[in-house]
Amino acid sequence: MSKRLPPLNAVKAFEAAARHLSFTRAAEELFVTQAAVSHQIKALEDFLGLKLFRRKNRSLLLTEEGQSYFLDIKDIFIELGEATNRLLARSAVGSLTVSMSPSFAIQWLVPRLAKFSEKNPDIDVRIKAVDSDASSLTDDVDVAIYYGQGHWPGLRADKLRNEVLIPVCSPLLLKGPKPLSQPSDLKLHTLLHDSSRQDWQAWFRQCGVSEMNVNQGPIFSHSSLVLQAAAHGQGVALGYSVLAQPDIKAGRLVCPFPDVLVSKDAYYLVCQQNHAEIGKISAFREWMVDMFAEESRSELLSG
């Protein structure tokens, strides 16, 4: 019967120390203390029943057994590194399933998806639209876009952008018989609500406008629906700025007032912590972060 394998962390510490002929440099490479390296080497020597290093004139030398062992294992670590790189390279191709709300998919990702495909032609993105963040990162999903405060146990969460809510309406509404020169003028218009009436209530409070009836106007289950209703001239919506930008840039929506309601939540790209460096996931994360940063810079310059 073959002898059991030596402790692999100890072998890793030995390989680094033997390559550098220094416990200090091995510790720096492995991000541990010198004492930890020394402890691992001692554990390996105890396991083997052999001395692997000896000190001479304040320098570290390999014993004959240590030299022989190092020559035998160093190629194993090289091959392991190469195998890992090959695996990560293969993982940078194939299909990538991304979960997000229908509104984020329609308003943000779909119009920009071709840019990702041009940069990453070997990755096929599959969009899965879900109404709830809580259970969307299932086994068949690689990456998800969450809207929240960034605390999801066991998940890596990369912040994409903070969000603000802005009043938006059709440009035709500004040319109509009912003025929209100040927030109080909204009492003459239909308020369109995204999920609840609380956002408009908070916006009016922030603007110092009282005696507004926020209980009037339809409520829409998805952000994209309330934006479409506003674009069709059905009233004034308080929309999420990130999702409203395509319609604003296209001229379908305008902002009648500069006042914004800052959200406590933000957009995050999330994935399983141990999957974060898989090639296709890493590529999508970097692209998303870059796209949001680029668009934020453009808005600052245009503003």
Side-chain angles (χ1 to χ4, degrees):
M1 183 181 292
S2 60
K3 195 171 183 181
R4 62 187 175 89
L5 287 172
L8 297 183
N9 280 340
V11 176
K12 186 178 179 182
F14 165 73
E15 189 276 336
R19 181 162 29 87
H20 293 296
L21 289 178
S22 167
F23 284 5
T24 300
R25 292 177 63 188
E28 292 172 354
E29 178 181 309
L30 299 174
F31 300 101
V32 297
T33 64
Q34 183 178 342
V37 171
S38 180
H39 177 77
Q40 293 284 10
I41 299 298
K42 178 66 167 56
L44 182 59
E45 289 177 332
D46 290 345
F47 177 88
L48 298 172
L50 296 167
K51 278 289 184 184
L52 299 174
F53 291 98
R54 60 188 175 90
R55 294 189 178 277
K56 184 176 182 181
N57 297 330
R58 304 181 74 178
S59 62
L60 188 66
L61 300 174
L62 285 163
T63 63
E64 184 176 342
E65 293 82 2
Q67 180 70 20
S68 175
Y69 194 46
F70 173 64
L71 292 175
D72 284 339
I73 69 167
K74 68 181 181 68
D75 289 339
I76 295 174
F77 278 87
I78 293 172
E79 291 174 7
L80 181 61
E82 292 175 348
T84 302
N85 289 336
R86 287 194 296 271
L87 178 62
L88 291 176
R90 286 198 298 272
S91 73
V93 301
S95 63
L96 178 79
T97 301
V98 186
S99 171
M100 68 198 71
S101 71
S103 295
F104 190 92
I106 293 168
Q107 296 294 121
W108 196 91
L109 183 59
V110 170
R112 297 164 176 78
L113 195 55
K115 293 182 179 180
F116 177 78
S117 298
E118 288 172 8
K119 192 174 182 180
N120 302 273
D122 296 325
I123 302 176
D124 295 320
V125 177
R126 298 178 180 179
I127 298 175
K128 183 178 181 180
V130 295
D131 287 325
S132 172
D133 290 345
S135 58
S136 65
L137 200 61
T138 51
D139 290 341
D140 61 336
V141 172
D142 299 298
V143 173
I145 307 301
Y146 281 7
Y147 185 66
Q149 297 185 17
H151 307 297
W152 297 282
L155 301 181
R156 168 169 173 165
D158 290 271
K159 190 174 185 179
L160 298 173
R161 179 167 172 172
N162 292 320
E163 181 60 291
V164 297
L165 281 77
I166 56 176
V168 290
C169 65
S170 166
L172 297 178
L173 215 61
L174 298 181
K175 300 175 183 177
K178 300 175 184 177
L180 266 175
S181 56
Q182 55 189 0
S184 59
D185 291 336
L186 285 168
K187 65 179 178 291
L188 302 174
H189 293 266
T190 300
L191 300 181
L192 307 175
H193 304 271
D194 186 341
S195 300
S196 77
R197 304 185 190 278
Q198 295 178 355
D199 291 335
W200 267 122
Q201 192 172 38
W203 187 84
F204 282 121
R205 188 185 309 118
Q206 181 177 287
C207 293
V209 178
S210 59
E211 299 180 358
M212 290 295 299
N213 180 17
V214 298
N215 293 318
Q216 56 94 357
I219 298 177
F220 297 85
S221 62
H222 293 83
S223 298
S224 57
L225 296 179
V226 75
L227 293 174
Q228 287 303 304
H232 285 289
Q234 294 180 19
V236 183
L238 196 60
Y240 293 94
S241 65
V242 168
L243 304 184
Q245 285 306 314
D247 291 308
I248 293 173
K249 289 180 179 178
R252 292 186 292 269
L253 289 175
V254 293
C255 301
F257 311 111
D259 308 88
V260 302
L261 180 65
V262 178
S263 172
K264 295 179 181 178
D265 297 329
Y267 296 101
Y268 290 85
L269 185 144
V270 303
C271 65
Q272 297 293 343
Q273 189 70 49
N274 58 343
H275 293 171
E277 298 309 321
I278 292 176
K280 60 187 178 183
I281 293 177
S282 178
F284 189 75
R285 179 176 64 248
E286 290 176 8
W287 176 77
M288 287 282 289
V289 170
D290 289 346
M291 282 295 294
F292 270 98
E294 179 183 328
E295 291 182 8
S296 293
R297 285 194 296 269
S298 297
E299 287 175 22
L300 285 174
L301 290 174
S302 61

